[in-house]
Amino acid sequence: MMGYILRFKTAAALVLLGLLTLLAGIGQKTFWAPAENITATAPADATAAPLTVFDEKLRTAHGGPVKINVKGEGSFLLAAGRPDDVAAWVGPTAHNTVTGLSTDGTALEVSHTDGEATAPSPAGSDLWVTSENASGELSYTWTPPADGEWSLLLATDGTKPAPSSITMTFPNDTSTPWAVPFMVLGILLMAGGALLILKPRSGGTGPDSNRRGSRPAAGRNQPTPTAESKSTGSGNGTAQQRRVALRVRRPGLAVALLTAAAVAGTGTIAQASQTPAPGPSTSPETSAGDGEAAGVPVLLDSQFRRVLEQVAGAVDAGDAAKDAGKLEPRVTDTEMQIRTQNYKIRSQVGAYEARMPVRATKLLTTVVTNDRSWPRTVLAVTQGEGNVVPQLLTLTQASARENYKLVNSTPLQPGATFPAISRGGTDSLAPADKSGLLYSGEEALAGLGDRLSSADSAFKDKLVEGESSPYIADTLAYQADVVASGVNGTFSFTHKVDPASTAVFRTSDGGALVLGRLDFTFEGTPKAEGDKLTIGDDAAALAGSKETSTGMVLNFAEVAAVYVPPAGSTDPMRLVAATRGLVGASFK
């Protein structure tokens, strides 16, 4: 009878424990389930600043898309860019950085960096891959525009404080790995308890069986049981039942403790999943130029196309009005000088040829550097309306807060092959760097200058052009013709490299494409007293007169691109693109 009672109690305990365990598993899937999202708000007492940066680690801290809600007075923008680009644009300006979440997950952690009180307006910067403009309120889903890390910049016009009412909603970890095991374990425990209750009663155990069972007859050879032996013999069943009961209760106790911990800790688990420890605080200064940005192209294709459209628009406006002032937002250096003088000449000489138009389409290829320092130089090859041959455009961004501007444009030589360069980004080399090359960028352009200056140049066989690309041949023929026909003067021609304009990009075969400017100077002096030299109408528009008895100087800006083979190659360098424009004329 005693064994049946103990068995019933054990079975009841197992059923109860199973029920609790099952409820714990179900609870983790229902009423104890963690919230699907975490919502955190920026502190209202944060120090005001004109710029607010969202650390790149916030986007990936919890997986899935992050939603941002911003409220502010008037107009503001939220722009996305590479962390090092955002940091470089922020520069010395005072700013706040949203770095992570508070311990309880309800507040955003915001750090403040002192600095200059204002910054230029970030609107329209080429650094931003995307930007959202808003007035009053903005709801934004933070998704990456491409692989890699991305930061956000929040600002008004750079002078007023950035909006401070910021709420971020993150996806929460709603996984409940213990739910199913608890439910399975609960069912098994309840089934085990039920089986134990339903097990048939055994009639061969306990004290009654000892009394009713046959006992060996007392005899001469069988000792009379002592009190000790009676106690031992009659207690074997009870002791055994106690040991069985203990063996049953101990696992039950362990399950009970586990279940209790699970039930009590489910809320804690859910809460912990909602309030992860904040990530390390990273200010824009520390993230600028970090190793993670290495090898990342400075422009995505979408950025490049947007830049080209704005450059082409500015050039179209300037060309149509013959107004160099309209070029200023997107044109500089050699291209600005050539087009400015072209407008001046055309205003006086109607037959003078206009510069080739700049088109954003058809975009044939791009060359984008992985060098993330400034200045940054990129290339585009386009052939749109008015481009008889493809045109090579060179654009440079002088600093983080400046936009890309067209530095020069030059048509590809007819029949020339543009070297293969990875569109996913390539290395740029210093002009003097000869690593893996037959010639450095400096040597290549100097060789071109010498080749254009002298028909007997040492580079005659080291730098060639195609039969249908006679820029070098035409230049040498023009200079020889001037000397032969100018009986009243002595003439000289020089083509010198402008070192500041040289840019070198690694090609896919290990060679390099070198671009740069040469200053082509054409000087003439009368041979004898009384002799006069006459210049053309185009030069006269810049010099102010057509004749001189003291001498003249004509200045041309030459833009050229040269392919340099890799080291060990037996091939010569090749002229890929070249053009020149008159930029000056004066009398001695």
Side-chain angles (χ1 to χ4, degrees), residues 60 75 139 231 257 329 334 357-358 416 525 527 585:
T60 57
S75 299
S139 294
S231 172
L257 292 174
T334 300
V358 171
T525 304
K527 286 185 176 180

Side-chain angles (χ1 to χ4, degrees), residues 252-267:
L253 177 61
V255 173
L257 292 174
L258 178 60
T259 305
V263 172
T266 302

Side-chain angles (χ1 to χ4, degrees), residues 82-89 125 127 288-289 298 371-377 396-404:
R82 295 290 187 186
D84 59 330
D85 285 346
V86 172
W89 195 94
S125 172
L127 292 183
V298 297
D371 182 0
R372 303 191 63 83
S373 61
W374 279 274
R376 295 174 175 178
T377 299
T396 296
Q397 186 181 38
S399 67
R401 288 182 173 178
E402 297 180 71
N403 282 338
Y404 282 90

Side-chain angles (χ1 to χ4, degrees), residues 180-414:
V180 173
F182 278 163
M183 286 188 281
V184 173
L185 179 59
I187 293 171
L188 291 176
L189 288 172
M190 294 172 66
L195 290 174
L196 194 58
I197 291 175
L198 297 175
K199 181 180 179 181
R201 293 175 61 180
S202 174
T205 61
D208 290 342
S209 67
N210 287 338
R211 285 194 298 269
R212 295 174 185 174
S214 61
R215 182 179 296 176
R220 181 179 302 173
N221 295 328
Q222 293 205 343
T224 301
T226 62
E228 181 179 359
S229 65
K230 287 180 181 179
S231 172
T232 303
S234 62
N236 279 345
T238 303
Q240 183 176 6
Q241 288 172 1
R242 288 174 180 169
R243 287 194 295 273
V244 170
L246 286 174
R247 282 197 295 272
V248 172
R249 286 190 186 113
R250 283 170 185 164
L253 177 61
V255 173
L257 292 174
L258 178 60
T259 305
V263 172
T266 302
T268 305
I269 293 171
Q271 178 68 14
S273 68
Q274 296 177 40
T275 57
S281 175
T282 306
S283 68
E285 287 77 8
T286 59
S287 64
D290 58 17
E292 296 179 354
V296 176
V298 297
L299 286 176
L300 296 185
D301 188 63
S302 59
Q303 286 175 282
F304 208 140
R305 290 179 183 276
R306 186 178 70 233
V307 168
L308 276 180
E309 288 174 358
Q310 294 180 10
V311 167
V315 174
D316 276 347
D319 287 352
K322 298 179 185 177
D323 181 1
K326 296 184 180 297
L327 301 176
E328 289 182 358
R330 287 293 184 173
V331 181
T332 189
D333 294 346
T334 300
E335 193 67 23
M336 174 64 85
Q337 186 181 16
I338 292 176
R339 288 190 182 269
T340 298
Q341 298 298 65
N342 182 272
Y343 298 161
K344 185 175 181 179
I345 296 170
R346 287 168 57 207
S347 66
Q348 301 179 43
V349 183
Y352 192 69
E353 187 177 4
R355 291 286 291 177
M356 184 180 291
V358 171
R359 303 301 185 201
T361 55
K362 177 181 177 182
L363 179 59
L364 302 178
T365 191
T366 59
V367 178
V368 181
T369 178
N370 293 329
D371 182 0
R372 303 191 63 83
S373 61
W374 279 274
R376 295 174 175 178
T377 299
V378 297
L379 310 177
V381 179
T382 65
Q383 187 174 15
E385 183 182 356
N387 300 146
V388 179
V389 294
Q391 185 172 210
L392 178 59
L393 308 175
T394 304
L395 302 99
T396 296
Q397 186 181 38
S399 67
R401 288 182 173 178
E402 297 180 71
N403 282 338
Y404 282 90
K405 293 186 177 183
L406 181 65
V407 174
N408 54 60
S409 63
T410 179
L412 297 185
Q413 292 296 283

